[in-house]
Every structure is written in structure tokens, then in C-alpha cells.
Amino acid sequence: MTCTDYTRWLSAYVDEQLKPAQRAQLEEHLHTCPTCQAELASLRQMLQSLRTMEAPAVPDLLPNIHRRLTSQNLAQRFLAPWPASLPLHGLALAATAAVVLIIVGLPRASHHSSLEPTMQVTLDKVVSSSDLEAMPQSSTNGRLLLQKREDERATGTESLKSAMVPTTPPQEEQRQYAGSYQGDEMTRLGALSEGMPRVADDQKERSVDADADFFETPSSNERRETVPSGSAGGGFAARATVDASVTVEEAKQEATPANAEPIAPEKKKVELPQAVPTLLQAQWKTSNLEQASAQVSEWVSAQGGFAIATNEHHLSVKLPPAQVHAFLQQFSSDPSLQAPPASPQALWVTISLELVLSQ
Amino acid sequence: MHEQPVSYVAGSADAREAALITQAQGGDLAAFDQLVLQHQQAVFAVAVRMLGDRDEAQDVAQDVFVRAYRGFNAFRRDAKLSTWLISITMNLCRNRRRWWARRKRVIVASLDDPLETQEGTLAHETPDPGPTPARAAEQHEQRQQLMAVLQLLPETDRTVIVLRDIQGYAYEEIAQILGCRLGTVKSRINRARLQLRALLDGTRS
């Protein structure tokens, strides 16, 4: 067994996946082999860094999940394997009639938040007007929906309410909802019929299709604006979720304005002691971030190092020590920043380069 | 209706989750919500590390639960729910990357700020209490670099690094999540760690 062979065991060793005999053999070797010891230490250090990475803060996922579930519900009705696919055509027709009445009644309501109480009152009537008692499974859902709305009124939570009522976040209230209004309502009221039997009505289905097309049309900028920035386009691209394309497109577009802010951080300049010579922090003032980043990458690769752009403002660069001086001459705006004294063991110098937009 | 698994001890966490699953499979949205809350951290964390972007990860995470809800009948009760959810997460992350590749776009690893921690406190073990500012800066730098390099790894390597070394799943769980043999998991992990280190060091190819 050579060191090369033993190093192949190290990974399993740290995870305690080696058989006892192998483990003993490896440990015996480690006693006498500094190379392998160093390998092991290096591996452990890397794993330690990975293991102690902080947990990312998870955003509130429920609102968007609910939006997607309820807006898709009508279209998915015929595919749904569980309860509510009980065909009760008589009730379906009644439900349709009731819903149509609502649709007709809606336009008079403004896109103001005062809409809410009107909607909810009307929706109450819709739900209760269908004979829920006749369908045990669906009535549970119906009751669940009603209960949920009451809960939300009491606690003010958003989850299902956002799916059933066209509430918008406070800052969005002033936006024009009118254009997408009718379409949204169809879908949302359709969602309410979760407590009702599936709607076998062709007309209903066609209008849902129209909704989906409407939602997918890229030209509906208005609609896009009304989506709260945090939702990443989750709710509206109902049909498009099946093929993630439109969703991601919207998400990317919506995310960009929201992201623009956090991406300009205040990078704290830290004075690193000479005892840690391999890590340098540098700043480069430039008028074009993209170009600058590309320039740096190109130069660094040509010198045999490599550069990783962590975002538009930052690159992590690894260079042979001999090249650091030249690098700083080219890409540092601080003339006083010097290349550290070359330490004999260092194969690389790590430079954290921040790109700063010059006015 | 679905039978209650008989092996669970009544009152245990498993039994509670099993009950919630049964209710959610029956269409109980409130039960489903509970399950989301219990698993969203893990799902989101995996997505964010696989994709390197919070917004993409959020979209994927939501998608995971939506699909789980709609496909709940496909969930085999003898498997763990978390395994199933993470499995879906991996698939959706892979699809999302392919989607971007087809459109010749790269997911910009928006790493500088967005990998926020929970209220600034570390959820995992702290390496050492109260590091000096210089040390803290170095650690921060290292982690940024780690995350950046993670995105450069081939997909299969990144997968096992995230599952094993970041999320801490056991070898057996990983085998279930990925649907492969234990031996395969071992060799993948070995290879992935070597790849990662090679990228970090830049000394080997």
C-alpha cells in the first residue's frame, strides 16, 4: 500500500465508514507518515469549514405555495386524485351560476382595499349557496376554507386570504389592478370552489385557459408589476409552473430590482496582520464593473492564477506570489498597498478584490 | 383512505408527522402547512447551496412543496418524508440549472449579502468563540470562496458535498435521496471532496 492508496481511504475514515481492519491499518500508517497526516489535517480543515457554514435564513414560503395551489386547482381539477373530484354536475351548474353572478357584480368594486369586505361577504354567499352538506369530503374543505378565513380575520394572517381575495401589499395598492382584475378573480373564485365539486362546465374551463394565456403573455407588464417583489412570480404563472420557464423569467426580472440594493454592500476594510500574508484585500475603482471583472479574470488566467467572481462587485483571486506586485499595480487603486513578503511555503496568494464604481 | 402505519409509537414525533401526512394527503391544508413549516428550512438550505442564489432557491423550494402536495399519493409511507422532499429538491435544482443552461444564462451567485444567517446567530456549531476581527474576516472570506467554488463543481460533486458536508445527512440517507447504492455514495463523496479541494487549492488539475 502506498500513500496514494492510503489517501483514498481518508474520506471514508473521517466519516467512520472504514471497516475496523482498514481503519487500524490506516491509523498505523498515519502514525509514521507526515504526508498523509498533513492530507488528513487538510481534509478535516476543509470539512470543518463546510460543516460550520451558517444556515441561510429561510423566507416565508407558505403564501406563495398557497397561491400556486389554489390558482392551479381549477385547471388541475380533472387530474386531482384526491377527494374533490366528485362529479356532481347539478351542483357544478349551480356553482357556476353563482360564480358568474359574482363576476358580473365585481367590476363595480374598486381596486381599493375596501373591496375586501364586499368580496368576502359575497364569497360567503357563494360557498354557502352550494349544498355543501351533500358532499362530505368537499364540505370539509369548504368548512376549512371558511374557517381559515375567519381565522385570518381574527389573526390577520395572509396565507389563504391572499389566494381568495385580491389583496395586494400596502405599497402596491395604488397600482392599477383593473386590467388583470377579471382574470384574477376568475381564478381565485375558481379556487374557492375547492369546497365545491369539480366544475365540468366547458365555458369555465375555456376562461381558465384564457387566464393562463393571459398570465403567460410577456406583454402584460401591468400584471408583473402587481406581483409583490418577494414572491418571485410564484402565484401568477399558474400554468407556467408546469414548465418552469415563465416562472423563472418573471422571478429573475422581479428579483432584479429587489436585489439591486443588497448587492452594493459596505465592504469593511480590515487591517490584516502581517502574520497572515496570504490574504490581501484590495480595491479597484472602475467605471465599468463588468468590463473590469472580465479584465481581471483574463489577466489573472494569463498569469497562471484563477479568479472567481462572487458577484458583480467582488472577485476572489489566487495568484502565484511572484505576480502579486504586478497585479496590484494594475488593479489596485491604493498605491500604498504592497505585495506581502514572499513566504517560502506559499504557493498562492489570495486576493479579495472589491470593484468600486468611480463617480 | 390510507392505512395508518402500525409501526409508529403513538405520541412520538414520527407518529405525529405520520398523522399530519395522512391528513394532508386527505386534503387538509392546515396539516400540510405544518409539514411545510417543519421541512422548509432544510429544503431551502439545500436549494440555496445547490443553486447559489436565494431567489432561485425560493422559487424551487416553493415548487417542491407544491409538487409534494399534488403528488402526495405517490409518497410511499415507508420512506421518510424529509428524504422524499430533498429528493424532489435535488431534481428541481437540476432542472432549474438545465433550464438556465438552455437559455445560455448563468445563475449569478449572489453571495455577498443574501446568504443571511438566522438573525446573525450561527445555527451550526461555532468554530471558536469570539474570533478576532481579522480571523472573522478571514473566515468570512473563506466561506464566500467556498460557496463560490461550490457552484463551480460538477453537479454530481456538488450534490454530495451539499448533502454530506454541509447538510450533514448520513451515508444511508444520501443513498436513499439519490436512489443509489451505498458504495456509490462513498466513492462520490471521496471524489467530490478531492475535486473541491483541488479547486480551492488551485494546485492540482
Side-chain angles (χ1 to χ4, degrees), chain B residues 22-154:
Chain B
T22 307
Q23 289 171 277
Q25 281 175 321
D28 184 344
L29 205 58
F32 173 70
D33 284 359
Q34 282 303 305
L35 294 172
V36 171
L37 291 174
Q38 279 169 21
H39 293 274
Q40 62 177 5
Q41 167 62 45
V43 166
F44 180 72
V46 166
V48 121
R49 275 132 186 188
M50 287 301 292
L51 297 173
D53 180 291
R54 272 182 74 89
D55 291 314
E56 295 287 330
Q58 181 172 354
D59 218 30
V60 164
Q62 285 157 2
D63 210 359
V64 168
F65 288 110
V66 166
R67 283 172 192 240
Y69 186 70
R70 294 203 337 247
F72 234 146
N73 291 324
F75 172 55
R76 283 172 32 245
R77 302 299 296 275
D78 55 347
K80 274 173 69 176
L81 181 61
S82 65
T83 307
W84 189 59
L85 289 174
I86 300 299
S87 192
I88 298 175
T89 309
M90 282 299 177
N91 288 334
L92 292 187
C93 286
R94 186 173 50 240
N95 292 352
R96 186 57 63 102
R97 277 212 180 239
R98 284 198 190 139
W99 190 91
W100 281 102
R102 275 203 300 273
R103 281 150 187 79
K104 306 260 191 305
R105 290 199 211 172
V106 177
I107 296 179
V108 174
S110 50
L111 297 171
D112 205 22
D113 162 76
L115 278 185
E116 301 145 28
T117 60
Q118 321 264 23
E119 302 306 314
T121 58
L122 300 180
H124 294 285
E125 328 117 52
T126 331
D128 42 277
T132 65
R135 178 87 191 118
E138 197 189 339
Q139 279 174 1
H140 180 67
E141 171 72 24
Q142 278 172 0
R143 287 195 185 117
Q144 281 215 320
Q145 198 166 62
L146 262 179
M147 277 307 296
V149 168
L150 201 58
Q151 302 311 315
L152 297 176
L153 278 177

Side-chain angles (χ1 to χ4, degrees), chain A residues 8 11 15 17 39 42 53-54 57 64 66 68 72 81 245 248-249 259 265 306 310-311 316 348, chain B residues 33 49 54-55 62 70 96 99 105 109 112 116-117 122 124 143 145 171 193 197 199 201-202:
Chain A
R8 277 201 217 104
S11 182
D15 288 339
Q17 291 281 327
E39 273 290 312
S42 173
M53 283 179 84
E54 295 124 14
N64 282 321
H66 285 156
R68 276 167 156 171
Q72 280 171 331
S245 55
V248 177
E249 190 113 70
N259 272 347
F306 68 100
T310 44
N311 60 35
S316 178
W348 299 98
Chain B
D33 284 359
R49 275 132 186 188
R54 272 182 74 89
D55 291 314
Q62 285 157 2
R70 294 203 337 247
R96 186 57 63 102
W99 190 91
R105 290 199 211 172
D112 205 22
E116 301 145 28
T117 60
L122 300 180
H124 294 285
R143 287 195 185 117
Q145 198 166 62
Y171 274 54
R193 285 168 175 170
R197 202 137 57 93
L199 276 180
D201 291 347

